[in-house]
Amino acid sequence: MSAAAPAHPAQRCDDLVDGWLATDLDAWTRRVVRRHFTPGTGSPYWLRRAAGFDFDPLDVTRYAELTAFGPFPVEELRTGDPVDLVPLAVPRPLAGRVWDTGGTTGTPCRVFYTPDMLLHRGAWRRWSFVTEGFRPHRTWLQATPTGPHLIGNGVWEAAELHAGQVYAVDMDPRWVKRLIRAGRLADAREYTDHLLEQIADVLGAGRVHYLNTTPAVFQALVQSRPELVAALDGVRLSGTQIAPATHRAFLAALDGGICGLSYGNTFGNAAGLPAHQDGRLLPYLPNYPQVTMAVVRQDDGTSPVPYGATGQVRLTVLHEDLFLPNVLERDQAVRYDTGGHFPCDGVANVRPLQVTSTAPEGLY
């Protein structure tokens, strides 16, 4: 009897997401905590930190008990070796990518992604493509940061996991943020125009079905080249904020096209769910169970707000190869009840806690 053919990458992704959604979060928490804190095979960073705790991390048995770790000190991701966060159970020397955050408030944070982590992100991205109605075997333009930025991995996700052809336009979000901080707004607009020219050059040929970019860049494209936007079959927007009114305006500009959304950063992401309340509520589902999000009171960072209330986003990363509990994000959101359809809370109507000239969102 011949061996069964290996599963198609798309089918494998779908099976993985189905399995993750069926995972018990407390059991998954125990698995990840044991992996990172077991002497000899845990992650060097957490084994060092464990000596200073007034509790034994291996006694943590439930997801709710992760609050004992307190807020994760993200500043340490700016100076530490990203490899130290990866368990020693992963064979050394490590081979893979170190990804950067956007560096909005200074030196970027850096984390190492193992292949399993990249597959997790990619499988959830494909889940988003399918549920939002993006069809396979189509042509995409990826107009996002690339290089050290994880969002640029969308080229691989669209091409390999959703059977697409992908054009790409690069952008440097740090340069734009630097221009804004320096008050050089005319230069920032010139850089945006430079990006729009490249995007228009690709879209003008009429071969692209879908555009993947950020809300700010897409808004600029809607204003400058509405005819190119109307010709698209859809756009997928990844970034830190999009207001419901803006989302409705984008749908109108697309003239029947799809407007898919995702929220997140280098640490973890959430997939857009269908808009509710006549488009006034834009919810997101974290990439469970490796990524979960809570909406907490800004004054204590631990107490969840009621459903429908607004608070600060608290991110917890529970990858087998990366453990970041209780990351207090620079974003606020509405706590969203997924109504039993999914095993965790969602977040909705995400926006920055505060936007200033010293911490601009730039092209995100």
Side-chain angles (χ1 to χ4, degrees), residues 196-259:
L196 294 175
E197 289 173 3
Q198 296 176 74
I199 292 169
D201 180 62
V202 178
L203 296 184
R207 293 187 292 268
V208 171
H209 301 93
Y210 302 133
L211 171 64
N212 187 16
T213 190
T214 68
V217 172
F218 190 63
Q219 187 166 36
L221 184 65
V222 169
Q223 293 169 347
S224 65
R225 298 298 301 270
E227 77 284 3
L228 295 179
V229 171
L232 290 168
D233 292 335
V235 64
R236 196 157 200 288
L237 303 175
S238 304
T240 54
Q241 66 170 321
I242 179 171
T246 304
H247 183 247
R248 290 193 294 270
F250 286 171
L251 285 172
L254 284 163
D255 195 24
I258 302 165
C259 184

Side-chain angles (χ1 to χ4, degrees), residues 35-54:
R35 181 169 170 87
H36 284 270
F37 286 95
T38 298
T41 59
S43 55
Y45 172 85
W46 285 112
L47 292 175
R48 289 196 301 269
R49 286 281 309 275
F53 294 149
D54 59 2

